[in-house]
Amino acid sequence: MTDKFNTGKIKQKVEERKEELHEKAEQEVVVRGRKLEKGDIFKFVGLIAFFAIMIIICLLIWPYIADIFEPGGLDRVIADVRNAGPVGFLILLGLQFLQIVVAFIPGEVVQIAAGLLYGPWLGALIILLGCILSSAFIFALVHKLGAPFVQSIVPTKHLEKFRRFEKSGKLNIIVFILFLIPGLPKDVFTYLVPLTDMRMRTFLLLSNLGRIPGIIVSTYAADGLMEGRFVESAIIFGVAAIIAILGIVFQKRIMSFLEKRTDHRKDD
């Protein structure tokens, strides 16, 4: 009886905290005579910061991009980045961070670059580190600004499903499955899960464990291209592409299936 009472109080406090976050995000401030919501201001500042960072990154990597189109340029660029030490590492880490935070940059591009530059295992480690840092950043950001901020950043059509997953008590396993299946919008899910009661450490563990197989497949196949294993890499990329396409095509069915399974278990 005491446990149920304590659980009820915790849930009540969580709901009160969510409402408080929503109210903060919707609060209006006056900027040069115009009323703006705090969530919109943060989004605007974030976009400016994003473009500034992208300009800096482009300036840093432009010499490498120009050299790619010269004879033997790709090999020289890869050698230069590998020999750049921490600078090359940080650029790749930054690109992975932006890929998840911005949510519309294809993750496979960064993963393949990591495999080409640093091999399958170090490349995968860099990508995974970037995933952890960016996921933690987004989780903290969403908790600070709440649902209005998320609604202005990513599609929220799956939000109600996540809330039903949460009520079913099966949110943990479902988050792991969704981040494991290729082709699903993992970066969008990264913005939606923090709106549930899941803790950050649980989310970081489950979501990034789910990402690992896809990351390793991409970096390993990319490394195969560098090592001359063209047929092997082509097969791996082909199979991965087919699975990802299936994930995209059957995205709605996958979500509906998981939703029915959780409703069924809840009724049991």
Side-chain angles (χ1 to χ4, degrees), residues 45-233:
V45 173
L47 287 173
I48 293 176
F50 166 71
F51 285 117
I53 292 171
M54 288 302 297
I55 290 172
I56 293 172
I57 290 175
C58 288
L59 291 174
L60 288 173
I61 67 175
W62 176 251
Y64 301 113
I65 295 174
D67 197 27
I68 287 176
F69 299 99
E70 299 295 330
L74 180 60
D75 291 335
R76 287 197 302 274
V77 167
I78 292 173
D80 289 343
V81 174
R82 285 176 175 172
N83 295 329
V87 175
F89 175 89
L90 290 174
I91 289 176
L92 184 61
L93 191 64
L95 286 174
Q96 179 58 37
F97 181 88
L98 290 173
Q99 183 269 313
I100 292 181
V101 172
V102 178
F104 57 76
I105 301 173
E108 290 74 16
V109 174
V110 185
Q111 292 169 15
I112 291 171
L116 290 172
L117 293 170
Y118 295 104
W121 308 117
L122 181 57
L125 182 61
I126 296 172
I127 294 297
L128 184 60
L129 179 59
C131 289
I132 293 172
L133 292 175
S134 54
S135 298
F137 172 78
I138 292 172
F139 198 100
L141 188 65
V142 171
H143 264 239
K144 184 69 176 176
L145 295 179
F149 170 73
V150 175
Q151 290 167 354
S152 67
I153 296 293
V154 298
T156 55
K157 59 183 179 181
H158 298 308
L159 181 55
E160 288 304 317
K161 295 184 188 297
F162 274 100
R163 287 176 174 159
R164 283 193 282 271
F165 296 155
E166 180 182 13
K167 291 178 182 178
S168 72
K170 303 297 179 182
L171 181 61
N172 287 5
I173 184 63
I174 289 175
V175 166
F176 174 75
I177 292 172
L178 292 177
F179 278 82
L180 180 65
I181 298 175
L184 297 186
K186 297 177 180 60
D187 301 329
V188 173
F189 296 158
T190 303
Y191 279 89
L192 297 179
V193 176
L195 295 175
T196 69
D197 291 339
M198 181 177 285
R199 294 184 177 183
M200 180 188 288
R201 62 187 179 188
T202 303
F203 172 65
L204 294 180
L205 176 64
L206 295 174
S207 61
N208 289 294
L209 280 176
R211 289 181 187 270
I212 287 175
I215 292 173
I216 292 177
V217 166
S218 295
T219 55
Y220 180 82
D223 180 68
L225 293 177
M226 289 300 301
E227 298 296 327
R229 304 190 306 271
F230 300 115
V231 175
E232 178 186 5
S233 294

